[in-house]
């Protein structure tokens, strides 16, 4: 989560735009949220240090449904 903080602040408007575009395109809220999360992951990968590559390779977007 540490490497998500800065990109989430820096790219907040772009994340919102990506999500809104996907929502307009698909009318699916889940897909729009995933689009925003994937964009955030892409931006955060730029900041993750690459020592062995394990930390960078561990990033992912996962949808968990409740109910």
């Amino acid at each position: 989560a540490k490497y998500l903080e800065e990109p989430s602040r820096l790219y907040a408007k772009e994340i919102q735009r990506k999500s809104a575009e996907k929502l307009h395109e698909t009318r699916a809220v889940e897909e729009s949220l995933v689009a925003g999360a994937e964009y955030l992951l892409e931006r955060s990968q730029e900041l993750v240090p690459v020592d062995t590559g394990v930390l960078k390779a561990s990033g992912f977007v996962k949808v968990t449904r409740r109910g």
Side-chain angles (χ1 to χ4, degrees):
K2 176 183 174 187
Y3 294 102
L4 296 176
E5 293 172 15
E6 184 178 349
S8 66
R9 283 192 299 272
L10 290 173
Y11 299 106
K13 291 197 184 294
E14 189 64 18
I15 294 166
Q16 290 172 336
R17 187 182 69 76
K18 295 275 185 188
S19 293
E21 284 176 357
K22 184 57 87 170
L23 182 60
H24 180 73
E25 175 187 317
T26 65
R27 298 289 183 219
V29 173
E30 182 177 298
E31 286 182 42
S32 71
L33 294 173
V34 168
E38 287 175 343
Y39 182 79
L40 175 57
L41 178 61
E42 289 172 21
R43 298 288 70 84
S44 69
Q45 290 293 305
E46 298 167 4
L47 301 175
V48 175
V50 181
D51 225 8
T52 63
V54 174
L55 179 60
K56 192 167 193 157
S58 70
F60 64 94
V61 173
K62 178 181 178 182
V63 176
T64 304
R65 293 180 182 88
R66 290 195 271 176

Coordinates of all heavy atoms in Angstrom, one line a residue:
A1 N 0.8 -1.2 0.0 CA 0.0 0.0 0.0 C 0.9 1.3 0.0 O 0.4 2.3 -0.5 CB -0.9 0.0 1.2
K2 N 2.1 1.2 0.5 CA 2.9 2.3 0.6 C 3.2 3.0 -0.8 O 3.1 4.2 -0.9 CB 4.3 1.9 1.2 CG 5.3 3.1 1.3 CD 6.6 2.6 1.8 CE 7.7 3.7 1.7 NZ 9.0 3.2 2.1
Y3 N 3.4 2.2 -1.8 CA 3.7 2.7 -3.1 C 2.4 3.1 -3.9 O 2.5 3.5 -5.0 CB 4.5 1.7 -3.9 CG 5.8 1.5 -3.3 CD1 6.2 0.4 -2.5 CD2 6.8 2.5 -3.5 CE1 7.4 0.3 -2.0 CE2 8.1 2.4 -2.9 CZ 8.4 1.2 -2.1 OH 9.6 1.1 -1.6
L4 N 1.2 3.0 -3.2 CA 0.0 3.5 -3.9 C -0.4 4.9 -3.4 O -1.1 5.5 -4.1 CB -1.1 2.5 -3.5 CG -1.0 1.1 -4.1 CD1 -2.2 0.2 -3.5 CD2 -1.0 1.1 -5.6
E5 N 0.2 5.3 -2.3 CA -0.2 6.6 -1.7 C 0.1 7.7 -2.6 O -0.8 8.5 -2.9 CB 0.4 6.8 -0.3 CG -0.1 5.8 0.7 CD 0.7 5.9 2.0 OE1 1.5 6.9 2.2 OE2 0.6 5.0 2.8
E6 N 1.3 7.9 -3.0 CA 1.7 9.0 -3.8 C 1.0 9.0 -5.2 O 0.5 10.0 -5.6 CB 3.3 9.1 -4.0 CG 3.7 10.3 -4.8 CD 5.2 10.4 -4.9 OE1 5.9 9.6 -4.2 OE2 5.7 11.2 -5.7
P7 N 1.0 7.9 -5.9 CA 0.4 7.9 -7.2 C -1.1 8.2 -7.1 O -1.7 8.8 -7.9 CB 0.6 6.5 -7.8 CG 1.8 6.0 -7.0 CD 1.8 6.6 -5.7
S8 N -1.8 7.7 -6.0 CA -3.2 7.9 -5.8 C -3.5 9.4 -5.7 O -4.5 9.9 -6.2 CB -3.8 7.1 -4.7 OG -3.3 7.6 -3.5
R9 N -2.6 10.1 -5.0 CA -2.7 11.6 -4.9 C -2.4 12.3 -6.2 O -3.1 13.2 -6.7 CB -1.9 12.1 -3.8 CG -2.4 11.9 -2.4 CD -1.6 12.7 -1.3 NE -0.2 12.4 -1.3 CZ 0.3 11.4 -0.6 NH1 -0.5 10.7 0.2 NH2 1.6 11.2 -0.6
L10 N -1.3 11.9 -6.8 CA -0.8 12.6 -8.0 C -1.7 12.4 -9.2 O -1.9 13.3 -10.0 CB 0.6 12.1 -8.4 CG 1.7 12.5 -7.5 CD1 3.0 11.8 -7.9 CD2 1.9 14.0 -7.6
Y11 N -2.3 11.2 -9.3 CA -3.1 10.8 -10.5 C -4.6 10.7 -10.2 O -5.3 10.0 -10.9 CB -2.6 9.5 -11.1 CG -1.1 9.7 -11.5 CD1 -0.1 9.1 -10.8 CD2 -0.8 10.4 -12.7 CE1 1.2 9.2 -11.2 CE2 0.5 10.5 -13.1 CZ 1.5 9.9 -12.4 OH 2.8 10.0 -12.8
A12 N -5.1 11.3 -9.1 CA -6.5 11.1 -8.7 C -7.4 11.5 -9.8 O -8.4 10.7 -10.1 CB -6.8 12.0 -7.5
K13 N -7.2 12.6 -10.5 CA -8.1 13.0 -11.6 C -8.0 12.1 -12.8 O -9.1 11.8 -13.4 CB -7.8 14.4 -12.0 CG -8.1 15.5 -11.0 CD -8.2 16.9 -11.5 CE -8.5 17.9 -10.5 NZ -9.8 17.8 -9.8
E14 N -6.9 11.6 -13.1 CA -6.7 10.6 -14.2 C -7.4 9.3 -13.8 O -8.0 8.7 -14.7 CB -5.2 10.4 -14.5 CG -5.0 9.6 -15.8 CD -5.5 10.3 -17.1 OE1 -5.8 11.5 -17.1 OE2 -5.7 9.6 -18.0
I15 N -7.2 8.9 -12.6 CA -7.9 7.6 -12.1 C -9.4 7.8 -12.3 O -10.1 6.9 -12.8 CB -7.5 7.3 -10.7 CG1 -6.0 6.9 -10.6 CG2 -8.3 6.1 -10.1 CD1 -5.4 6.9 -9.2
Q16 N -9.9 8.9 -11.8 CA -11.4 9.2 -12.0 C -11.8 9.2 -13.4 O -12.8 8.6 -13.8 CB -11.7 10.5 -11.3 CG -11.6 10.5 -9.8 CD -11.8 11.9 -9.2 OE1 -11.5 12.9 -9.9 NE2 -12.2 11.9 -8.0
R17 N -11.0 9.8 -14.3 CA -11.3 9.9 -15.7 C -11.3 8.5 -16.3 O -12.3 8.1 -17.1 CB -10.3 10.7 -16.4 CG -10.7 11.0 -17.9 CD -9.6 11.8 -18.6 NE -8.4 11.1 -18.8 CZ -8.2 10.2 -19.8 NH1 -9.2 9.8 -20.5 NH2 -7.1 9.6 -19.9
K18 N -10.3 7.7 -16.0 CA -10.3 6.3 -16.6 C -11.5 5.5 -16.1 O -12.1 4.8 -16.9 CB -9.0 5.6 -16.1 CG -7.7 6.1 -16.6 CD -7.4 5.6 -18.0 CE -6.0 6.1 -18.4 NZ -5.7 5.8 -19.7
S19 N -11.9 5.6 -14.8 CA -13.0 4.9 -14.3 C -14.3 5.4 -15.0 O -15.2 4.6 -15.4 CB -13.1 5.1 -12.8 OG -12.1 4.5 -12.1
A20 N -14.4 6.7 -15.1 CA -15.6 7.3 -15.7 C -15.8 6.9 -17.2 O -16.9 6.6 -17.7 CB -15.6 8.8 -15.6
E21 N -14.7 6.8 -17.9 CA -14.7 6.4 -19.3 C -15.2 5.0 -19.4 O -16.0 4.6 -20.3 CB -13.3 6.5 -19.9 CG -12.9 7.9 -20.3 CD -11.5 8.0 -20.8 OE1 -10.8 7.0 -20.9 OE2 -11.1 9.1 -21.2
K22 N -14.7 4.1 -18.6 CA -15.0 2.7 -18.6 C -16.5 2.5 -18.2 O -17.2 1.7 -18.8 CB -14.1 1.9 -17.7 CG -14.4 0.4 -17.7 CD -14.3 -0.2 -19.1 CE -12.9 -0.6 -19.4 NZ -12.8 -1.4 -20.7
L23 N -17.0 3.3 -17.3 CA -18.4 3.3 -16.9 C -19.3 3.7 -18.0 O -20.3 3.1 -18.3 CB -18.6 4.1 -15.6 CG -20.0 4.1 -15.1 CD1 -20.4 2.7 -14.7 CD2 -20.1 5.1 -13.9
H24 N -18.9 4.8 -18.7 CA -19.7 5.3 -19.8 C -19.7 4.2 -20.9 O -20.7 4.0 -21.6 CB -19.1 6.6 -20.3 CG -19.8 7.1 -21.5 ND1 -21.0 7.7 -21.4 CD2 -19.5 7.2 -22.8 CE1 -21.4 8.1 -22.6 NE2 -20.5 7.8 -23.4
E25 N -18.5 3.6 -21.2 CA -18.4 2.6 -22.2 C -19.2 1.3 -21.9 O -19.8 0.7 -22.8 CB -16.9 2.2 -22.4 CG -16.6 1.2 -23.3 CD -15.1 0.8 -23.3 OE1 -14.2 1.8 -23.2 OE2 -14.8 -0.4 -23.3
T26 N -19.1 0.8 -20.7 CA -19.6 -0.5 -20.4 C -20.9 -0.5 -19.5 O -21.6 -1.5 -19.4 CB -18.6 -1.4 -19.6 OG1 -18.3 -0.8 -18.4 CG2 -17.3 -1.5 -20.4
R27 N -21.1 0.6 -18.8 CA -22.2 0.7 -17.8 C -22.1 -0.3 -16.7 O -23.0 -0.7 -16.0 CB -23.6 0.5 -18.5 CG -23.9 1.5 -19.5 CD -24.2 2.9 -18.9 NE -24.6 3.8 -19.9 CZ -24.2 5.1 -19.9 NH1 -23.5 5.5 -18.9 NH2 -24.6 5.9 -20.8
A28 N -20.8 -0.8 -16.5 CA -20.6 -1.7 -15.4 C -19.7 -1.1 -14.4 O -18.5 -0.8 -14.7 CB -19.9 -3.0 -16.0
V29 N -20.2 -0.9 -13.2 CA -19.5 -0.3 -12.1 C -18.2 -1.0 -11.8 O -17.2 -0.4 -11.6 CB -20.4 -0.1 -10.9 CG1 -19.6 0.4 -9.7 CG2 -21.5 0.9 -11.2
E30 N -18.3 -2.3 -11.7 CA -17.2 -3.1 -11.3 C -16.0 -3.0 -12.3 O -14.9 -2.7 -11.9 CB -17.5 -4.6 -11.2 CG -16.4 -5.5 -10.8 CD -16.8 -7.0 -10.7 OE1 -17.7 -7.2 -9.8 OE2 -16.3 -7.8 -11.4
E31 N -16.3 -3.0 -13.6 CA -15.3 -2.8 -14.6 C -14.7 -1.4 -14.5 O -13.5 -1.3 -14.8 CB -15.9 -3.1 -16.0 CG -16.2 -4.5 -16.3 CD -16.7 -4.7 -17.7 OE1 -16.2 -4.1 -18.6 OE2 -17.6 -5.5 -17.9
S32 N -15.5 -0.4 -14.2 CA -15.0 0.9 -14.1 C -14.0 1.1 -13.0 O -13.0 1.7 -13.1 CB -16.1 2.0 -14.1 OG -16.8 1.9 -12.8
L33 N -14.4 0.4 -11.9 CA -13.5 0.5 -10.7 C -12.2 -0.3 -11.0 O -11.1 0.2 -10.6 CB -14.2 -0.1 -9.5 CG -15.4 0.7 -9.0 CD1 -16.1 0.0 -7.8 CD2 -14.9 2.1 -8.5
V34 N -12.3 -1.4 -11.6 CA -11.1 -2.1 -12.0 C -10.2 -1.3 -12.9 O -9.0 -1.3 -12.8 CB -11.4 -3.5 -12.6 CG1 -10.2 -4.2 -13.3 CG2 -12.1 -4.4 -11.6
A35 N -10.8 -0.6 -13.9 CA -10.0 0.2 -14.8 C -9.2 1.3 -14.0 O -8.0 1.5 -14.3 CB -10.9 0.9 -15.8
G36 N -9.8 1.9 -13.0 CA -9.1 2.9 -12.2 C -8.0 2.3 -11.4 O -6.9 2.8 -11.3
A37 N -8.3 1.1 -10.8 CA -7.3 0.4 -10.0 C -6.1 -0.1 -10.8 O -5.0 0.0 -10.4 CB -8.0 -0.8 -9.3
E38 N -6.4 -0.5 -12.1 CA -5.3 -1.0 -12.9 C -4.4 0.2 -13.3 O -3.2 0.1 -13.4 CB -5.9 -1.7 -14.2 CG -6.4 -3.1 -13.8 CD -7.1 -3.8 -15.0 OE1 -7.4 -3.1 -16.0 OE2 -7.2 -5.0 -14.9
Y39 N -5.1 1.4 -13.6 CA -4.3 2.6 -13.9 C -3.4 2.9 -12.7 O -2.2 3.3 -12.9 CB -5.2 3.7 -14.3 CG -4.4 5.0 -14.7 CD1 -3.8 5.1 -15.9 CD2 -4.3 6.0 -13.8 CE1 -3.1 6.2 -16.3 CE2 -3.6 7.1 -14.1 CZ -3.0 7.2 -15.4 OH -2.3 8.3 -15.7
L40 N -3.9 2.9 -11.5 CA -3.2 3.2 -10.3 C -2.0 2.2 -10.1 O -0.9 2.6 -9.8 CB -4.1 3.2 -9.1 CG -3.4 3.3 -7.7 CD1 -2.6 4.7 -7.6 CD2 -4.4 3.3 -6.6
L41 N -2.3 1.0 -10.4 CA -1.2 0.0 -10.3 C -0.1 0.3 -11.3 O 1.1 0.2 -11.0 CB -1.8 -1.4 -10.6 CG -0.7 -2.6 -10.6 CD1 0.0 -2.7 -9.2 CD2 -1.4 -3.9 -10.9
E42 N -0.5 0.6 -12.5 CA 0.5 1.0 -13.6 C 1.4 2.1 -13.1 O 2.6 2.1 -13.2 CB -0.1 1.4 -14.9 CG -0.8 0.3 -15.6 CD -1.6 0.7 -16.8 OE1 -1.4 1.9 -17.3 OE2 -2.5 0.0 -17.3
R43 N 0.8 3.2 -12.6 CA 1.6 4.3 -12.1 C 2.4 4.0 -10.9 O 3.5 4.5 -10.8 CB 0.6 5.5 -11.7 CG -0.2 6.0 -12.9 CD 0.5 6.8 -14.0 NE 1.4 6.1 -14.8 CZ 1.1 5.4 -15.9 NH1 -0.1 5.4 -16.3 NH2 2.0 4.8 -16.6
S44 N 1.9 3.2 -10.0 CA 2.7 2.8 -8.8 C 3.9 2.0 -9.2 O 4.9 2.0 -8.5 CB 1.8 2.1 -7.8 OG 1.4 0.8 -8.2
Q45 N 3.8 1.2 -10.2 CA 4.9 0.3 -10.6 C 6.2 1.2 -11.0 O 7.3 0.7 -10.9 CB 4.5 -0.5 -11.8 CG 3.5 -1.6 -11.5 CD 4.1 -2.7 -10.6 OE1 5.1 -3.3 -10.9 NE2 3.5 -2.9 -9.5
E46 N 5.9 2.4 -11.4 CA 7.0 3.3 -11.7 C 7.9 3.7 -10.5 O 9.0 4.1 -10.6 CB 6.5 4.6 -12.4 CG 5.8 4.3 -13.7 CD 5.0 5.5 -14.2 OE1 5.0 6.6 -13.6 OE2 4.3 5.3 -15.2
L47 N 7.3 3.6 -9.3 CA 7.9 4.0 -8.1 C 8.5 2.9 -7.3 O 9.3 3.1 -6.4 CB 6.9 4.8 -7.2 CG 6.3 6.0 -7.8 CD1 5.3 6.6 -6.8 CD2 7.4 7.1 -8.1
V48 N 8.1 1.7 -7.5 CA 8.5 0.5 -6.8 C 10.0 0.2 -7.1 O 10.4 0.1 -8.2 CB 7.7 -0.7 -7.1 CG1 8.2 -2.0 -6.4 CG2 6.2 -0.5 -6.7
P49 N 10.8 0.1 -6.0 CA 12.2 -0.2 -6.3 C 12.4 -1.6 -6.8 O 11.6 -2.5 -6.4 CB 12.9 -0.1 -4.9 CG 11.8 -0.2 -3.9 CD 10.5 0.3 -4.6
V50 N 13.3 -1.8 -7.7 CA 13.5 -3.2 -8.3 C 14.9 -3.7 -7.8 O 15.9 -3.4 -8.4 CB 13.5 -3.1 -9.8 CG1 13.7 -4.5 -10.4 CG2 12.2 -2.5 -10.3
D51 N 14.8 -4.4 -6.7 CA 16.0 -5.1 -6.2 C 16.1 -6.5 -6.8 O 17.0 -6.7 -7.6 CB 15.9 -5.2 -4.7 CG 17.2 -4.8 -3.9 OD1 18.1 -4.3 -4.6 OD2 17.2 -5.0 -2.7
T52 N 15.1 -7.3 -6.5 CA 15.1 -8.6 -7.0 C 13.9 -8.8 -8.0 O 13.8 -9.7 -8.7 CB 14.9 -9.7 -5.9 OG1 13.6 -9.4 -5.3 CG2 16.0 -9.6 -4.9
G53 N 13.0 -7.8 -8.0 CA 11.8 -7.8 -8.8 C 10.6 -8.4 -8.2 O 9.5 -8.4 -8.7
V54 N 10.8 -9.0 -7.0 CA 9.7 -9.7 -6.3 C 8.6 -8.7 -5.9 O 7.4 -9.0 -6.1 CB 10.2 -10.5 -5.1 CG1 9.1 -11.1 -4.3 CG2 11.2 -11.6 -5.5
L55 N 9.0 -7.6 -5.3 CA 8.0 -6.6 -4.9 C 7.2 -6.1 -6.1 O 6.0 -6.0 -6.1 CB 8.6 -5.4 -4.2 CG 7.7 -4.3 -3.7 CD1 6.7 -4.8 -2.7 CD2 8.5 -3.2 -3.0
K56 N 7.9 -5.7 -7.2 CA 7.2 -5.2 -8.3 C 6.3 -6.3 -8.9 O 5.2 -6.0 -9.4 CB 8.2 -4.8 -9.4 CG 7.7 -4.0 -10.5 CD 8.8 -3.3 -11.3 CE 8.1 -2.3 -12.2 NZ 9.1 -1.3 -12.6
A57 N 6.7 -7.5 -9.0 CA 5.9 -8.6 -9.5 C 4.7 -9.0 -8.7 O 3.8 -9.6 -9.1 CB 6.8 -9.8 -9.8
S58 N 4.7 -8.5 -7.4 CA 3.6 -8.9 -6.5 C 2.4 -8.0 -6.6 O 1.3 -8.3 -6.0 CB 4.1 -8.9 -5.0 OG 4.3 -7.5 -4.6
G59 N 2.4 -6.9 -7.4 CA 1.3 -6.0 -7.6 C 0.2 -6.7 -8.4 O 0.5 -7.3 -9.4
F60 N -1.1 -6.5 -8.0 CA -2.2 -7.0 -8.8 C -3.5 -6.3 -8.4 O -3.5 -5.6 -7.3 CB -2.3 -8.5 -8.5 CG -2.7 -8.9 -7.1 CD1 -4.0 -9.1 -6.7 CD2 -1.7 -9.1 -6.2 CE1 -4.3 -9.4 -5.4 CE2 -1.9 -9.4 -4.9 CZ -3.3 -9.6 -4.5
V61 N -4.5 -6.4 -9.2 CA -5.8 -5.9 -8.9 C -6.7 -7.1 -8.7 O -6.7 -8.0 -9.6 CB -6.3 -5.0 -10.1 CG1 -7.8 -4.6 -9.8 CG2 -5.5 -3.8 -10.2
K62 N -7.5 -7.2 -7.6 CA -8.3 -8.3 -7.4 C -9.7 -7.8 -7.0 O -9.8 -6.9 -6.2 CB -7.8 -9.1 -6.2 CG -8.6 -10.3 -5.8 CD -8.0 -11.0 -4.6 CE -8.9 -12.2 -4.2 NZ -8.3 -12.9 -3.1
V63 N -10.7 -8.4 -7.6 CA -12.1 -8.0 -7.2 C -12.6 -9.0 -6.2 O -12.5 -10.3 -6.4 CB -13.0 -8.1 -8.5 CG1 -14.4 -7.8 -8.1 CG2 -12.5 -7.1 -9.5
T64 N -13.1 -8.5 -5.1 CA -13.7 -9.4 -4.1 C -15.1 -9.0 -3.9 O -15.4 -7.8 -3.6 CB -12.9 -9.2 -2.7 OG1 -11.5 -9.5 -3.0 CG2 -13.4 -10.1 -1.7
R65 N -16.0 -9.9 -4.0 CA -17.4 -9.6 -3.8 C -17.9 -10.0 -2.4 O -17.4 -11.1 -1.9 CB -18.2 -10.4 -4.9 CG -18.0 -9.8 -6.2 CD -18.8 -10.6 -7.2 NE -18.5 -10.2 -8.6 CZ -17.6 -10.7 -9.4 NH1 -16.8 -11.6 -8.9 NH2 -17.4 -10.2 -10.6
R66 N -18.7 -9.2 -1.8 CA -19.3 -9.5 -0.5 C -20.8 -9.8 -0.7 O -21.4 -9.1 -1.5 CB -19.0 -8.4 0.5 CG -17.6 -8.3 0.9 CD -17.5 -7.4 2.1 NE -17.3 -6.0 1.7 CZ -17.3 -5.0 2.5 NH1 -17.4 -5.2 3.8 NH2 -17.1 -3.8 2.1
G67 N -21.3 -10.6 0.2 CA -22.7 -10.7 0.2 C -23.2 -12.0 -0.3 O -23.6 -12.8 -0.7

